[in-house]
Short mmCIF file of all heavy atoms in Angstrom, two decimals:
data_model
loop_
_atom_site.label_atom_id
_atom_site.label_comp_id
_atom_site.label_asym_id
_atom_site.label_seq_id
_atom_site.Cartn_x
_atom_site.Cartn_y
_atom_site.Cartn_z
N PRO A 284 -21.60 3.47 17.17
CA PRO A 284 -21.29 2.70 15.95
C PRO A 284 -22.41 2.74 14.91
O PRO A 284 -23.59 2.80 15.26
CB PRO A 284 -21.11 1.26 16.49
CG PRO A 284 -20.90 1.40 17.96
CD PRO A 284 -21.67 2.62 18.37
N VAL A 285 -22.00 2.72 13.67
CA VAL A 285 -22.95 2.56 12.56
C VAL A 285 -23.26 1.07 12.43
O VAL A 285 -22.34 0.26 12.34
CB VAL A 285 -22.34 3.10 11.26
CG1 VAL A 285 -23.20 2.72 10.06
CG2 VAL A 285 -22.17 4.61 11.34
N PRO A 286 -24.53 0.69 12.43
CA PRO A 286 -24.87 -0.73 12.32
C PRO A 286 -24.35 -1.34 11.02
O PRO A 286 -24.46 -0.71 9.96
CB PRO A 286 -26.39 -0.76 12.36
CG PRO A 286 -26.78 0.54 13.00
CD PRO A 286 -25.74 1.53 12.57
N PRO A 287 -23.78 -2.54 11.08
CA PRO A 287 -23.36 -3.21 9.84
C PRO A 287 -24.54 -3.42 8.90
O PRO A 287 -25.69 -3.56 9.35
CB PRO A 287 -22.80 -4.56 10.34
CG PRO A 287 -22.48 -4.33 11.78
CD PRO A 287 -23.48 -3.33 12.28
N ILE A 288 -24.27 -3.43 7.62
CA ILE A 288 -25.35 -3.64 6.66
C ILE A 288 -25.89 -5.06 6.76
O ILE A 288 -25.21 -5.98 7.20
CB ILE A 288 -24.88 -3.34 5.23
CG1 ILE A 288 -23.73 -4.27 4.82
CG2 ILE A 288 -24.46 -1.89 5.09
CD1 ILE A 288 -23.32 -4.13 3.36
N THR A 289 -27.14 -5.22 6.35
CA THR A 289 -27.83 -6.51 6.43
C THR A 289 -28.24 -6.96 5.03
O THR A 289 -28.02 -6.26 4.03
CB THR A 289 -29.07 -6.41 7.31
OG1 THR A 289 -30.05 -5.59 6.63
CG2 THR A 289 -28.75 -5.80 8.68
N SER A 290 -28.89 -8.12 4.97
CA SER A 290 -29.35 -8.63 3.67
C SER A 290 -30.38 -7.70 3.05
O SER A 290 -30.48 -7.62 1.82
CB SER A 290 -29.93 -10.03 3.84
OG SER A 290 -31.04 -10.02 4.73
N ALA A 291 -31.16 -6.99 3.89
CA ALA A 291 -32.14 -6.06 3.34
C ALA A 291 -31.45 -4.91 2.62
O ALA A 291 -31.95 -4.42 1.60
CB ALA A 291 -33.04 -5.53 4.46
N TYR A 292 -30.32 -4.46 3.15
CA TYR A 292 -29.54 -3.41 2.50
C TYR A 292 -29.05 -3.90 1.13
O TYR A 292 -29.19 -3.19 0.13
CB TYR A 292 -28.35 -3.04 3.39
CG TYR A 292 -27.39 -2.02 2.82
CD1 TYR A 292 -27.41 -0.70 3.26
CD2 TYR A 292 -26.44 -2.37 1.87
CE1 TYR A 292 -26.53 0.25 2.76
CE2 TYR A 292 -25.55 -1.43 1.36
CZ TYR A 292 -25.59 -0.13 1.81
OH TYR A 292 -24.71 0.80 1.31
N THR A 293 -28.49 -5.08 1.08
CA THR A 293 -27.94 -5.58 -0.19
C THR A 293 -29.05 -5.87 -1.20
O THR A 293 -28.87 -5.65 -2.40
CB THR A 293 -27.09 -6.84 0.03
OG1 THR A 293 -27.88 -7.87 0.65
CG2 THR A 293 -25.90 -6.54 0.94
N THR A 294 -30.20 -6.34 -0.72
CA THR A 294 -31.33 -6.60 -1.63
C THR A 294 -31.81 -5.30 -2.25
O THR A 294 -32.04 -5.22 -3.47
CB THR A 294 -32.48 -7.28 -0.87
OG1 THR A 294 -32.03 -8.54 -0.37
CG2 THR A 294 -33.67 -7.50 -1.80
N LEU A 295 -31.96 -4.27 -1.43
CA LEU A 295 -32.37 -2.97 -1.94
C LEU A 295 -31.30 -2.40 -2.86
O LEU A 295 -31.62 -1.85 -3.93
CB LEU A 295 -32.63 -2.01 -0.78
CG LEU A 295 -33.00 -0.56 -1.15
CD1 LEU A 295 -34.28 -0.53 -1.97
CD2 LEU A 295 -33.13 0.28 0.11
N GLY A 296 -30.05 -2.57 -2.49
CA GLY A 296 -28.97 -2.06 -3.32
C GLY A 296 -28.95 -2.69 -4.70
O GLY A 296 -28.74 -2.00 -5.71
N ARG A 297 -29.17 -3.99 -4.77
CA ARG A 297 -29.19 -4.67 -6.08
C ARG A 297 -30.36 -4.17 -6.92
O ARG A 297 -30.24 -4.00 -8.15
CB ARG A 297 -29.27 -6.18 -5.89
CG ARG A 297 -27.96 -6.82 -5.46
CD ARG A 297 -28.00 -8.34 -5.64
NE ARG A 297 -29.01 -8.93 -4.78
CZ ARG A 297 -28.78 -9.35 -3.53
NH1 ARG A 297 -27.59 -9.21 -3.00
NH2 ARG A 297 -29.75 -9.90 -2.82
N ARG A 298 -31.51 -3.96 -6.28
CA ARG A 298 -32.67 -3.46 -7.02
C ARG A 298 -32.39 -2.07 -7.59
O ARG A 298 -32.75 -1.77 -8.73
CB ARG A 298 -33.89 -3.42 -6.09
CG ARG A 298 -35.21 -3.17 -6.82
CD ARG A 298 -36.41 -3.23 -5.88
NE ARG A 298 -36.44 -4.49 -5.17
CZ ARG A 298 -36.38 -4.60 -3.84
NH1 ARG A 298 -36.30 -3.52 -3.08
NH2 ARG A 298 -36.43 -5.78 -3.27
N VAL A 299 -31.73 -1.24 -6.80
CA VAL A 299 -31.37 0.11 -7.26
C VAL A 299 -30.37 0.02 -8.42
O VAL A 299 -30.48 0.76 -9.40
CB VAL A 299 -30.79 0.92 -6.09
CG1 VAL A 299 -30.09 2.19 -6.59
CG2 VAL A 299 -31.88 1.28 -5.09
N GLU A 300 -29.41 -0.88 -8.32
CA GLU A 300 -28.41 -1.03 -9.37
C GLU A 300 -29.05 -1.41 -10.70
O GLU A 300 -28.61 -0.96 -11.77
CB GLU A 300 -27.37 -2.08 -8.97
CG GLU A 300 -26.37 -1.58 -7.95
CD GLU A 300 -25.35 -2.65 -7.59
OE1 GLU A 300 -25.75 -3.80 -7.29
OE2 GLU A 300 -24.15 -2.33 -7.61
N ARG A 301 -30.09 -2.20 -10.65
CA ARG A 301 -30.76 -2.62 -11.89
C ARG A 301 -31.44 -1.44 -12.58
O ARG A 301 -31.70 -1.48 -13.80
CB ARG A 301 -31.78 -3.72 -11.59
CG ARG A 301 -31.17 -5.02 -11.11
CD ARG A 301 -32.22 -6.13 -11.02
NE ARG A 301 -31.66 -7.33 -10.41
CZ ARG A 301 -31.86 -7.70 -9.15
NH1 ARG A 301 -32.66 -6.96 -8.38
NH2 ARG A 301 -31.32 -8.79 -8.67
N GLU A 302 -31.73 -0.39 -11.81
CA GLU A 302 -32.39 0.79 -12.37
C GLU A 302 -31.40 1.79 -12.94
O GLU A 302 -31.78 2.81 -13.49
CB GLU A 302 -33.23 1.48 -11.29
CG GLU A 302 -34.38 0.66 -10.75
CD GLU A 302 -35.47 0.45 -11.78
OE1 GLU A 302 -35.70 1.35 -12.61
OE2 GLU A 302 -36.09 -0.64 -11.77
N GLY A 303 -30.10 1.52 -12.77
CA GLY A 303 -29.08 2.47 -13.20
C GLY A 303 -28.76 3.45 -12.08
O GLY A 303 -28.88 3.12 -10.91
N PHE A 304 -28.37 4.65 -12.42
CA PHE A 304 -28.05 5.67 -11.41
C PHE A 304 -29.34 6.25 -10.85
O PHE A 304 -30.06 6.99 -11.53
CB PHE A 304 -27.19 6.78 -12.02
CG PHE A 304 -25.80 6.34 -12.36
CD1 PHE A 304 -25.35 6.36 -13.67
CD2 PHE A 304 -24.93 5.89 -11.37
CE1 PHE A 304 -24.06 5.96 -13.99
CE2 PHE A 304 -23.64 5.48 -11.69
CZ PHE A 304 -23.21 5.52 -12.99
N VAL A 305 -29.61 5.91 -9.60
CA VAL A 305 -30.83 6.37 -8.93
C VAL A 305 -30.43 7.30 -7.80
O VAL A 305 -29.75 6.88 -6.87
CB VAL A 305 -31.65 5.18 -8.36
CG1 VAL A 305 -32.86 5.70 -7.61
CG2 VAL A 305 -32.06 4.24 -9.49
N PRO A 306 -30.84 8.57 -7.84
CA PRO A 306 -30.49 9.48 -6.74
C PRO A 306 -31.22 9.08 -5.47
O PRO A 306 -32.27 8.43 -5.51
CB PRO A 306 -30.96 10.84 -7.26
CG PRO A 306 -32.02 10.53 -8.25
CD PRO A 306 -31.62 9.23 -8.89
N PRO A 307 -30.68 9.43 -4.31
CA PRO A 307 -31.30 9.05 -3.04
C PRO A 307 -32.77 9.41 -2.93
O PRO A 307 -33.55 8.66 -2.33
CB PRO A 307 -30.46 9.81 -2.01
CG PRO A 307 -29.10 9.90 -2.64
CD PRO A 307 -29.38 10.11 -4.10
N ALA A 308 -33.18 10.53 -3.53
CA ALA A 308 -34.58 10.96 -3.43
C ALA A 308 -35.55 9.97 -4.05
O ALA A 308 -36.73 9.92 -3.69
CB ALA A 308 -34.74 12.33 -4.08
N LYS A 309 -35.05 9.14 -4.99
CA LYS A 309 -35.93 8.20 -5.68
C LYS A 309 -35.84 6.78 -5.12
O LYS A 309 -36.58 5.90 -5.57
CB LYS A 309 -35.61 8.20 -7.18
CG LYS A 309 -35.92 9.52 -7.87
CD LYS A 309 -35.70 9.45 -9.37
CE LYS A 309 -36.06 10.77 -10.04
NZ LYS A 309 -35.86 10.71 -11.52
N VAL A 310 -34.95 6.55 -4.17
CA VAL A 310 -34.80 5.21 -3.60
C VAL A 310 -36.05 4.74 -2.88
O VAL A 310 -36.45 3.57 -3.01
CB VAL A 310 -33.57 5.15 -2.67
CG1 VAL A 310 -33.53 3.84 -1.89
CG2 VAL A 310 -32.29 5.31 -3.49
N PRO A 311 -36.74 5.61 -2.08
CA PRO A 311 -37.93 5.13 -1.36
C PRO A 311 -38.97 4.46 -2.24
O PRO A 311 -39.67 3.54 -1.79
CB PRO A 311 -38.47 6.41 -0.71
CG PRO A 311 -37.26 7.25 -0.49
CD PRO A 311 -36.41 7.00 -1.71
N ALA A 312 -39.08 4.90 -3.50
CA ALA A 312 -40.06 4.30 -4.40
C ALA A 312 -39.72 2.86 -4.74
O ALA A 312 -40.59 2.11 -5.22
CB ALA A 312 -40.16 5.13 -5.68
N LEU A 313 -38.49 2.45 -4.51
CA LEU A 313 -38.06 1.09 -4.84
C LEU A 313 -38.05 0.16 -3.63
O LEU A 313 -37.74 -1.02 -3.75
CB LEU A 313 -36.66 1.13 -5.46
CG LEU A 313 -36.53 1.92 -6.77
CD1 LEU A 313 -35.07 1.99 -7.21
CD2 LEU A 313 -37.38 1.29 -7.87
N ILE A 314 -38.36 0.69 -2.46
CA ILE A 314 -38.36 -0.12 -1.24
C ILE A 314 -39.57 -1.04 -1.21
O ILE A 314 -40.70 -0.61 -1.48
CB ILE A 314 -38.33 0.81 0.00
CG1 ILE A 314 -36.99 1.53 0.07
CG2 ILE A 314 -38.60 0.03 1.28
CD1 ILE A 314 -36.90 2.56 1.17
N GLU A 315 -39.34 -2.32 -0.84
CA GLU A 315 -40.42 -3.31 -0.88
C GLU A 315 -40.71 -3.96 0.46
O GLU A 315 -41.59 -4.83 0.54
CB GLU A 315 -40.08 -4.39 -1.91
CG GLU A 315 -40.03 -3.87 -3.35
CD GLU A 315 -39.78 -4.97 -4.36
OE1 GLU A 315 -39.57 -6.14 -3.93
OE2 GLU A 315 -39.77 -4.67 -5.57
N SER A 316 -40.00 -3.58 1.51
CA SER A 316 -40.26 -4.22 2.81
C SER A 316 -39.90 -3.26 3.94
O SER A 316 -39.17 -2.29 3.75
CB SER A 316 -39.44 -5.51 2.95
OG SER A 316 -38.06 -5.22 3.10
N ALA A 317 -40.40 -3.59 5.12
CA ALA A 317 -40.09 -2.78 6.31
C ALA A 317 -38.60 -2.86 6.64
O ALA A 317 -38.00 -1.87 7.08
CB ALA A 317 -40.92 -3.26 7.49
N ALA A 318 -38.00 -4.02 6.41
CA ALA A 318 -36.57 -4.18 6.69
C ALA A 318 -35.74 -3.31 5.76
O ALA A 318 -34.76 -2.68 6.19
CB ALA A 318 -36.16 -5.64 6.55
N GLU A 319 -36.13 -3.24 4.50
CA GLU A 319 -35.42 -2.38 3.56
C GLU A 319 -35.60 -0.91 3.93
O GLU A 319 -34.64 -0.12 3.85
CB GLU A 319 -35.93 -2.62 2.14
CG GLU A 319 -35.55 -3.98 1.57
CD GLU A 319 -36.09 -4.21 0.18
OE1 GLU A 319 -36.64 -3.27 -0.43
OE2 GLU A 319 -35.98 -5.34 -0.30
N ARG A 320 -36.79 -0.54 4.36
CA ARG A 320 -37.04 0.85 4.76
C ARG A 320 -36.17 1.21 5.97
O ARG A 320 -35.60 2.30 6.04
CB ARG A 320 -38.52 1.06 5.08
CG ARG A 320 -38.88 2.52 5.39
CD ARG A 320 -40.39 2.72 5.41
NE ARG A 320 -41.00 2.29 4.17
CZ ARG A 320 -41.01 3.00 3.05
NH1 ARG A 320 -40.41 4.19 3.02
NH2 ARG A 320 -41.61 2.55 1.97
N HIS A 321 -36.05 0.27 6.91
CA HIS A 321 -35.23 0.51 8.09
C HIS A 321 -33.77 0.72 7.70
O HIS A 321 -33.11 1.64 8.20
CB HIS A 321 -35.34 -0.67 9.05
CG HIS A 321 -34.48 -0.54 10.26
ND1 HIS A 321 -34.67 0.42 11.23
CD2 HIS A 321 -33.38 -1.24 10.66
CE1 HIS A 321 -33.75 0.30 12.17
NE2 HIS A 321 -32.95 -0.70 11.84
N GLU A 322 -33.28 -0.11 6.78
CA GLU A 322 -31.89 0.04 6.33
C GLU A 322 -31.67 1.39 5.64
O GLU A 322 -30.65 2.04 5.84
CB GLU A 322 -31.53 -1.10 5.37
CG GLU A 322 -31.34 -2.44 6.05
CD GLU A 322 -30.18 -2.43 7.02
OE1 GLU A 322 -29.05 -2.17 6.59
OE2 GLU A 322 -30.41 -2.67 8.21
N TRP A 323 -32.63 1.80 4.85
CA TRP A 323 -32.49 3.07 4.16
C TRP A 323 -32.54 4.25 5.13
O TRP A 323 -31.82 5.23 4.98
CB TRP A 323 -33.57 3.21 3.09
CG TRP A 323 -33.45 4.45 2.26
CD1 TRP A 323 -34.37 5.46 2.14
CD2 TRP A 323 -32.34 4.85 1.46
NE1 TRP A 323 -33.90 6.45 1.30
CE2 TRP A 323 -32.65 6.09 0.87
CE3 TRP A 323 -31.10 4.27 1.17
CZ2 TRP A 323 -31.77 6.77 0.03
CZ3 TRP A 323 -30.22 4.93 0.33
CH2 TRP A 323 -30.56 6.17 -0.23
N GLU A 324 -33.37 4.14 6.15
CA GLU A 324 -33.46 5.20 7.15
C GLU A 324 -32.16 5.32 7.95
O GLU A 324 -31.82 6.40 8.43
CB GLU A 324 -34.65 4.95 8.08
CG GLU A 324 -35.99 5.18 7.41
CD GLU A 324 -37.17 4.74 8.26
OE1 GLU A 324 -36.92 4.08 9.30
OE2 GLU A 324 -38.32 5.03 7.89
N LEU A 325 -31.43 4.23 8.11
CA LEU A 325 -30.13 4.27 8.75
C LEU A 325 -29.06 4.86 7.83
O LEU A 325 -28.10 5.47 8.30
CB LEU A 325 -29.70 2.86 9.16
CG LEU A 325 -30.47 2.17 10.30
CD1 LEU A 325 -29.99 0.72 10.45
CD2 LEU A 325 -30.30 2.93 11.61
N THR A 326 -29.26 4.68 6.55
CA THR A 326 -28.24 5.01 5.55
C THR A 326 -28.31 6.44 5.05
O THR A 326 -27.28 7.14 4.94
CB THR A 326 -28.35 4.04 4.36
OG1 THR A 326 -28.22 2.70 4.83
CG2 THR A 326 -27.27 4.32 3.31
N LEU A 327 -29.51 6.91 4.73
CA LEU A 327 -29.67 8.22 4.08
C LEU A 327 -29.05 9.37 4.87
O LEU A 327 -28.37 10.22 4.27
CB LEU A 327 -31.15 8.49 3.81
CG LEU A 327 -31.45 9.82 3.10
CD1 LEU A 327 -30.72 9.91 1.76
CD2 LEU A 327 -32.96 9.98 2.91
N PRO A 328 -29.24 9.46 6.19
CA PRO A 328 -28.63 10.60 6.91
C PRO A 328 -27.10 10.61 6.82
O PRO A 328 -26.50 11.69 6.77
CB PRO A 328 -29.09 10.37 8.36
CG PRO A 328 -30.33 9.55 8.26
CD PRO A 328 -30.09 8.65 7.08
N LEU A 329 -26.49 9.44 6.78
CA LEU A 329 -25.03 9.38 6.67
C LEU A 329 -24.57 9.84 5.28
O LEU A 329 -23.55 10.53 5.16
CB LEU A 329 -24.55 7.95 6.94
CG LEU A 329 -24.88 7.38 8.32
CD1 LEU A 329 -24.41 5.94 8.41
CD2 LEU A 329 -24.25 8.22 9.42
N ILE A 330 -25.31 9.46 4.26
CA ILE A 330 -24.98 9.90 2.90
C ILE A 330 -25.13 11.40 2.79
O ILE A 330 -24.27 12.09 2.24
CB ILE A 330 -25.88 9.18 1.88
CG1 ILE A 330 -25.56 7.68 1.83
CG2 ILE A 330 -25.73 9.80 0.49
CD1 ILE A 330 -26.52 6.87 1.00
N ALA A 331 -26.24 11.93 3.31
CA ALA A 331 -26.48 13.37 3.24
C ALA A 331 -25.39 14.14 3.99
O ALA A 331 -24.93 15.20 3.53
CB ALA A 331 -27.86 13.69 3.82
N GLU A 332 -24.98 13.62 5.12
CA GLU A 332 -23.93 14.26 5.91
C GLU A 332 -22.61 14.28 5.14
O GLU A 332 -21.91 15.30 5.12
CB GLU A 332 -23.76 13.49 7.22
CG GLU A 332 -22.87 14.15 8.24
CD GLU A 332 -22.86 13.40 9.55
OE1 GLU A 332 -22.50 12.18 9.54
OE2 GLU A 332 -23.21 13.99 10.59
N LEU A 333 -22.28 13.18 4.49
CA LEU A 333 -21.06 13.11 3.70
C LEU A 333 -21.11 14.08 2.52
O LEU A 333 -20.16 14.81 2.25
CB LEU A 333 -20.82 11.69 3.22
CG LEU A 333 -19.66 11.46 2.25
CD1 LEU A 333 -18.34 11.91 2.87
CD2 LEU A 333 -19.58 10.00 1.82
N LEU A 334 -22.22 14.09 1.81
CA LEU A 334 -22.34 14.95 0.63
C LEU A 334 -22.37 16.44 1.00
O LEU A 334 -22.06 17.29 0.17
CB LEU A 334 -23.59 14.58 -0.17
CG LEU A 334 -23.55 13.22 -0.87
CD1 LEU A 334 -24.87 12.95 -1.57
CD2 LEU A 334 -22.40 13.16 -1.87
N GLY A 335 -22.72 16.74 2.25
CA GLY A 335 -22.74 18.12 2.70
C GLY A 335 -21.39 18.64 3.14
O GLY A 335 -21.25 19.84 3.44
N ALA A 336 -20.40 17.77 3.18
CA ALA A 336 -19.08 18.16 3.69
C ALA A 336 -18.18 18.69 2.59
O ALA A 336 -18.10 18.10 1.51
CB ALA A 336 -18.42 16.96 4.37
N ASP A 337 -17.50 19.79 2.88
CA ASP A 337 -16.45 20.27 1.98
C ASP A 337 -15.15 19.53 2.28
O ASP A 337 -14.36 19.25 1.37
CB ASP A 337 -16.22 21.77 2.19
CG ASP A 337 -17.46 22.58 1.92
OD1 ASP A 337 -17.95 22.54 0.77
OD2 ASP A 337 -17.97 23.24 2.85
#
Side-chain angles (χ1 to χ4, degrees):
V285 170
I288 61 174
T289 69
S290 60
Y292 177 104
T293 58
T294 298
L295 177 61
R297 284 195 297 270
R298 191 176 304 120
V299 166
E300 284 181 311
R301 294 188 187 102
E302 296 292 326
F304 291 117
V305 177
K309 294 185 178 181
V310 170
L313 299 175
I314 292 175
E315 295 183 357
S316 70
E319 291 178 8
R320 185 168 304 281
H321 177 67
E322 287 296 300
W323 183 240
E324 288 172 351
L325 291 174
T326 303
L327 181 58
L329 300 177
I330 293 172
E332 189 175 58
L333 174 59
L334 291 178
D337 300 299

